[in-house]
Amino acid sequence: MAINVVARKLLWGRAGDQCAMPDCFQSLTIDLAHEESDILAAAGAVIGEEAHIRSSQPEGPRHDPAYPTEKLDTYENLLLLCPTHHAIVDKNGGSAFSVDSLGTIKRQHEARIAQSIGPNGMQRRVIEERMTARVLLWEQKIDLDNWAATSGQLNMPVPVLTDERYNLLHSASIWLFEKKWPRAFPKIVGAFRNLDAAFGDLTSQVSQTMVPRTEDLWEFDRVYKHLHRWDSVEYDRLFRLTQEERFTLYGLVIETTKALNYLIDCIIEELDPFYRFDSGVVLMRQGDGLMHADLHRLEYSERDVESGHLFPGIEAIRRQVAAMIKENVHNYEGRVMFHLNSDGTAEQ
């Protein structure tokens, strides 16, 4: 496991970005990616350390074999310390500081911070903590860290989805649709609503165009292959329909990726400046799944954000696809659409 966004929000917020040891009050800077932390430390910033009250290592300070493994990296088992006091607390296997004594130090420090920020500060902190918990739940529902894999399946020449990912998309879409959001974060709320619209259209297109091929695999339905008797006119109609539906799906994957990254930006702006600092944006994958796969970074342009013209809706994407393949239905390549749907891209 690793320390997630909720545990980090609780730990740093309740500690007031200060070392928890009595009479220290050292202001701390959050530990960033290794290179950034080195630069800040060299400039004189004190890097906060998320110390474990109970070590995960059998020979580590205050290791408790009975303590649940899944709780080792949670807020309950963490204490915010400056490097000096972290070293003191863990010295000699942590023999000078018991689990109970560190718990008392943590509670007393957090009580001082709560008193210093007052009722209004406490109310704001509670709202931020709950919103952070919902952000983590959203990450899990949508399987955010594996969006490249999900988009890669949908962007194959013949799109496929494992049954697990098919069900995940639909359950995440329902979750987004039914949620109410606190008004304290207007940009985040707007970004979630934008994502809800994009995700809803994406899952609807998946439902309408993909059929089960095996017990655990869904595949895009190429309707022209259902023609049982040769009819050139009917074949051309079905082939064009297949192309239109295929590249509408592709356009929705593009737009959903943009919506995901816009939401990440809004979370950074309104809730957590260091959200996904190490992992960054989500990437869209496309390729045949065997010989090559490209990764694309897709984001709304500044003009899109300023004007509020974000997800255009499935009908706008359908019109764009129909217009682009009108003259070249057999040789149309989605990459053309990709560039038209994206102001700036980075490929790997």
Side-chain angles (χ1 to χ4, degrees), residues 5-172:
V5 63
V6 171
R8 184 160 284 130
K9 185 70 173 180
L10 293 174
L11 179 66
W12 284 80
R14 295 185 177 189
D17 299 343
Q18 294 179 5
C19 176
M21 288 300 284
D23 302 322
C24 180
F25 308 120
Q26 175 65 62
S27 294
L28 302 173
T29 298
I30 197 166
D31 192 11
L32 309 175
H34 181 69
E35 295 89 347
E36 287 87 352
S37 291
D38 286 347
I39 292 172
L40 289 172
V46 179
I47 305 299
E49 298 190 356
E50 297 158 339
H52 287 79
I53 295 174
R54 304 166 187 83
S55 174
S56 61
Q57 303 301 316
E59 303 302 321
R62 297 167 298 280
H63 175 72
D64 180 0
Y67 192 70
T69 303
E70 64 272 14
K71 297 180 73 174
L72 287 168
D73 286 330
T74 64
Y75 162 73
E76 174 185 290
N77 192 46
L78 296 171
L79 181 66
L80 188 61
L81 296 172
C82 66
T84 300
H85 280 115
H86 192 183
I88 291 172
V89 163
D90 285 353
K91 187 178 179 180
N92 297 324
S95 58
F97 293 87
S98 68
V99 169
D100 287 343
S101 67
L102 291 179
T104 299
I105 288 170
K106 179 178 179 178
R107 287 191 297 274
Q108 290 176 345
H109 175 71
E110 291 182 350
R112 287 194 297 270
I113 296 300
Q115 186 176 17
S116 70
I117 64 176
N120 291 338
M122 283 294 295
Q123 184 179 26
R124 176 68 186 186
R125 194 181 76 183
V126 168
I127 294 172
E128 288 184 354
E129 289 176 354
R130 289 187 175 275
M131 192 63 175
T132 303
R134 181 163 287 186
V135 166
L136 178 60
L137 186 58
W138 160 70
E139 288 182 4
Q140 296 168 345
K141 292 284 186 183
I142 208 167
D143 196 15
L144 186 65
D145 286 336
N146 290 311
W147 178 251
T150 301
S151 61
Q153 290 183 5
L154 290 171
N155 286 339
M156 292 178 66
V158 179
V160 297
L161 271 180
T162 62
D163 191 61
E164 178 184 10
R165 292 197 180 278
Y166 182 92
N167 291 325
L168 182 146
L169 284 179
H170 285 80
S171 63

Side-chain angles (χ1 to χ4, degrees), residues 146-330:
N146 290 311
W147 178 251
T150 301
S151 61
Q153 290 183 5
L154 290 171
N155 286 339
M156 292 178 66
V158 179
V160 297
L161 271 180
T162 62
D163 191 61
E164 178 184 10
R165 292 197 180 278
Y166 182 92
N167 291 325
L168 182 146
L169 284 179
H170 285 80
S171 63
S173 180
I174 293 171
W175 184 86
L176 282 168
F177 180 68
E178 67 185 11
K179 281 289 167 286
K180 291 180 69 68
W181 305 97
R183 298 178 180 178
F185 309 97
K187 290 186 178 180
I188 294 176
V189 172
F192 264 119
R193 288 173 176 163
N194 181 68
L195 178 63
D196 174 32
F199 219 78
D201 281 353
L202 174 64
T203 53
S204 176
Q205 183 72 357
V206 165
S207 296
Q208 294 175 29
T209 62
M210 300 188 80
V211 294
R213 287 303 184 208
T214 65
E215 185 176 334
D216 59 356
L217 188 70
W218 294 73
E219 185 179 270
F220 182 78
D221 190 13
R222 291 168 287 176
V223 293
Y224 64 88
K225 288 186 171 289
H226 300 321
L227 192 64
H228 299 298
R229 184 175 60 187
W230 179 248
D231 182 328
S232 60
V233 174
E234 181 64 3
Y235 177 86
D236 286 344
R237 186 187 73 81
L238 293 176
F239 187 84
R240 181 179 295 277
L241 175 63
T242 299
Q243 289 286 76
E244 289 178 353
E245 297 295 350
R246 163 70 186 91
F247 289 106
T248 295
L249 176 62
Y250 180 60
L252 287 166
V253 176
I254 289 172
E255 293 300 328
T256 301
T257 306
K258 291 183 189 179
L260 288 169
N261 284 324
Y262 177 62
L263 176 53
I264 289 171
D265 285 344
C266 292
I267 293 170
I268 291 170
E269 182 175 347
E270 285 192 328
L271 184 63
D272 183 355
F274 298 107
Y275 178 63
R276 293 184 64 86
F277 188 88
D278 292 335
S279 49
V281 301
V282 296
L283 303 177
M284 186 190 80
R285 179 182 296 159
Q286 72 178 74
D288 59 16
L290 296 173
M291 301 300 294
H292 78 279
D294 298 328
L295 290 173
H296 303 278
R297 174 171 176 160
L298 300 169
E299 299 173 277
Y300 294 126
S301 68
E302 290 185 10
R303 184 175 61 183
D304 290 336
V305 173
E306 290 173 358
S307 66
H309 296 151
L310 303 176
F311 176 61
I314 190 171
E315 293 307 318
I317 294 173
R318 285 190 185 282
R319 289 194 296 270
Q320 185 183 42
V321 169
M324 287 190 295
I325 69 173
K326 183 177 181 180
E327 303 299 332
N328 198 12
V329 67
H330 287 280

